[in-house]
Amino acid sequence: MVTTTPTPQGTLTGNVLFYSNPEPLAKELHSKMGVKRMDGPFAFAKVGHAVPLTVGEFPLAMVTGPIIFVGDEKLPIAVMGLNAGENMFVKDDGTFEAGIYIPAYIRRYPFVFANDENAKQMVLCIDRGAEFVTDTDYDMGFFEPNGEPTEYTKNCIEFCNNFEIERQRTMGFVQLLKDLDLFETKEATFTPPGLDGTPGETQKIAEYFGVSEKKLNALPPAKFVELRDNGALGQIYAHMHSLVGWDRLIALAMTRASEQPAPVLNS
């Protein structure tokens, strides 16, 4: 389900973006289940206008749209649409527009790690609500006849393990920005043209957290060099440069709106 603020991973409770029916993957439950190949496997992501992002993805994601931080935890997300529940880059056939970076959060679906509070460990879950998860005519099963995970499942486990490592690294990156007090509240705005061509009333599209260029430039030289040497500075600049993507999203929305057929008025 879509949440206004995407939910951090690591829990089986609450709303987690895209996952409608997650359950721990187990041979007792899923030995005769698997996934079927689909020409358009990303239809589920059409409702994801704000998708969680890991810090290592910033340089790739910055060319698609804004990278912003939201909520008390300052969760980094890739903005992929201006309206809640509408990913502007997923086509009706379940494929992404050409040249769009697909976040790892989307690519790992229908798998997800979650915390088992009782066992105090991470467990791998599968979304039984996924369109391509089935118990009939599947192309890639979850388990071998002997109960061992298939090569497909092993690869998915490795992907999720790597994602979890990157998620932890992202938390450390965000904490670093918090410790240096680099965040500030930002707004994305749009000034539509009036009927006479003059600028109309400015509209606020979004409010979010971002790195303050003023605060960044005011850091002591030694701290600035430290950010450069540990790689954080490059990620910060990727975030800051990505914010021009608001203009791209606005232009795309206006273009699509202009292509809509005019309503037919009854006489």
Side-chain angles (χ1 to χ4, degrees), residues 94-146:
T95 61
F96 270 85
E97 299 280 358
I100 297 302
Y101 177 73
I102 305 175
Y105 185 99
I106 292 176
R107 286 182 279 122
R108 70 170 180 174
Y109 185 81
F111 291 90
V112 62
F113 270 130
N115 273 333
D116 184 331
E117 296 295 343
N118 294 326
K120 302 298 181 183
Q121 65 181 10
M122 300 292 287
V123 295
L124 184 68
C125 296
I126 188 79
D127 186 8
R128 284 289 296 269
E131 179 183 9
F132 39 78
V133 171
T134 178
D135 57 5
T136 59
D137 299 325
Y138 51 82
D139 299 298
M140 296 168 289
F142 295 135
F143 293 95
E144 302 285 3
N146 63 3

Side-chain angles (χ1 to χ4, degrees), residues 1-22:
M1 297 177 65
V2 177
T3 55
T4 304
T5 301
T7 307
Q9 292 306 289
T11 176
L12 283 173
T13 60
N15 296 331
V16 182
L17 181 64
F18 303 142
Y19 295 83
S20 62
N21 187 22

Side-chain angles (χ1 to χ4, degrees), residues 39 152 224:
D39 293 334
Y152 165 74
F224 198 86

Side-chain angles (χ1 to χ4, degrees), residues 71-84:
D72 293 337
E73 296 187 355
K74 308 294 191 298
L75 179 72
I77 65 170
V79 180
M80 309 194 83
L82 297 179
N83 299 314

Side-chain angles (χ1 to χ4, degrees), residues 29 44 48 112 143 152 201 219 233 241:
L29 297 174
F44 68 90
V112 62
F143 293 95
Y152 165 74
E201 183 177 352
L219 287 176
L233 188 61
H241 293 323

